Amino acid sequence: MTRRTLIVMTATITPAQGIGNSVRVDPALRLSEYLAAFRHYASLPDELVQGILFLENSGHDLTPFRELQHALGTRKQIECLSTSTDYPAEKGKGYGEFLMLDQGMSHLREQGWPGDTLIWKVTGRLIVKNMAKMVTQAPPAFDLYADFRHVPLVGSRLGGNEWLELRLVAFSLDGYDRYFRGHYGDGYVIERAFFDRLFPLIKTPPKGAYPRFRTQPELEGFSGYSNKSYSSLEYRMKGAFRSLTRMALPFLWI
């Protein structure tokens, strides 16, 4: 039986006061970005993606998403779920996102999604333009499929090194429980905290764990940290360089 594939979009439409490292905080602007991304993922071929779970943790009304779902007439299994808003802002965005994911993955279990369901978790404001290619070129089955950034001999002195990229990360439902569940409080910069905990486990990858994407994700949208467009020359050059190193220097995880 073919494994089912699901996209999980995480969202905070109205960020709480005190959430650091974000300058893109206008709720109306964020809502428009989430809706554009929702439309993009709903338009992916049904044979590639069978469902979407939209998670939101600021208590915002999700009616616009349900209305858009109805207007699109998609056959995908789509749910919009409000999760807990009760989390300390001083713990950071990663804490809130993975607390939200814990609740979302529990909901999928309750709804009967099997443990081998393949889940692509994306920061919900962002459009992965080549998501169809990411899905088709992924391993046919995995528990963890992600980009670990690690440049040998450099350590954490290089920004973004010793880092687990979480804007886009894929796992099975069982893999989420194995690698992520309950660890939302591991650190303020959760990308580094997850790297520190998981990298020793995947240096010699176990069956089902893949520490590098086979394909470079192509992002559209704006960084919440810098407010820079991912379509800017700077980001496009970074993406091109990373794409090249996947083929020419596969040992260089940047």
Side-chain angles (χ1 to χ4, degrees):
M1 181 177 178
T2 303
R3 290 174 173 83
R4 301 174 74 189
T5 297
L6 178 72
I7 290 177
V8 173
M9 302 173 63
T10 56
T12 304
I13 298 174
T14 306
Q17 291 187 353
I19 290 287
N21 295 336
S22 184
V23 296
R24 203 168 181 84
V25 296
D26 178 65
L29 176 61
R30 293 173 69 89
L31 175 61
S32 68
E33 292 173 330
Y34 287 123
L35 286 168
F38 185 90
R39 179 185 293 273
H40 170 74
Y41 296 122
S43 71
L44 292 173
D46 291 337
E47 62 269 21
L48 289 183
V49 174
Q50 289 74 52
I52 297 173
L53 177 62
F54 183 86
L55 302 174
E56 206 283 332
N57 68 351
S58 72
H60 199 281
D61 180 16
L62 300 184
T63 300
F65 297 91
R66 299 186 177 101
E67 291 177 343
L68 178 55
Q69 175 187 349
H70 179 74
L72 293 172
T74 177
R75 293 183 296 166
K76 290 181 177 62
Q77 185 172 338
I78 297 179
E79 285 192 85
C80 300
L81 183 67
S82 294
T83 64
S84 174
T85 61
D86 185 18
Y87 62 92
E90 65 272 13
K91 293 288 188 178
K93 294 186 291 185
Y95 184 104
E97 182 178 39
F98 275 83
L99 174 61
M100 176 172 24
L101 283 166
D102 271 19
Q103 295 172 19
M105 297 307 100
S106 294
H107 177 77
L108 291 178
R109 292 283 193 187
E110 293 166 1
Q111 296 300 306
W113 288 78
D116 65 356
T117 300
L118 301 180
I119 294 165
W120 291 79
K121 172 268 157 191
V122 61
T123 298
R125 293 186 305 102
L126 303 182
I127 291 173
V128 182
K129 295 189 291 184
N130 61 337
M131 180 64 90
K133 185 177 181 181
M134 297 294 299
V135 173
T136 56
Q137 295 192 354
F142 51 80
D143 282 332
L144 176 63
Y145 183 47
D147 261 352
F148 284 74
R149 293 186 186 168
H150 177 64
V151 180
L153 306 178
V154 173
S156 60
R157 295 186 298 275
L158 180 65
N161 192 40
E162 298 189 344
W163 188 271
L164 175 55
E165 177 55 66
L166 294 174
R167 289 172 296 185
L168 178 67
V169 60
F171 41 78
S172 67
L173 193 51
D174 285 341
Y176 183 84
D177 290 345
R178 180 173 301 118
Y179 293 109
F180 296 108
R181 180 173 292 281
H183 288 279
Y184 47 84
D186 279 9
Y188 187 83
V189 182
I190 204 162
E191 294 88 349
R192 194 172 301 284
F194 278 151
F195 178 94
D196 290 343
R197 188 173 62 82
L198 296 179
F199 185 66
L201 303 179
I202 56 86
K203 281 194 288 188
T204 303
K207 183 178 180 181
Y210 299 85
R212 294 293 287 163
F213 285 143
R214 296 172 175 177
T215 308
Q216 176 65 31
E218 297 175 7
L219 301 182
E220 180 180 305
F222 290 81
S223 166
Y225 175 74
S226 67
N227 213 26
K228 290 183 179 179
S229 170
Y230 289 113
S231 299
S232 68
L233 178 61
E234 175 187 350
Y235 277 109
R236 285 189 285 114
M237 289 180 65
K238 284 182 180 179
F241 183 61
R242 286 171 173 157
S243 182
L244 176 64
T245 60
R246 287 180 200 278
M247 297 180 291
L249 300 169
F251 59 89
L252 193 61
W253 298 4
I254 61 171

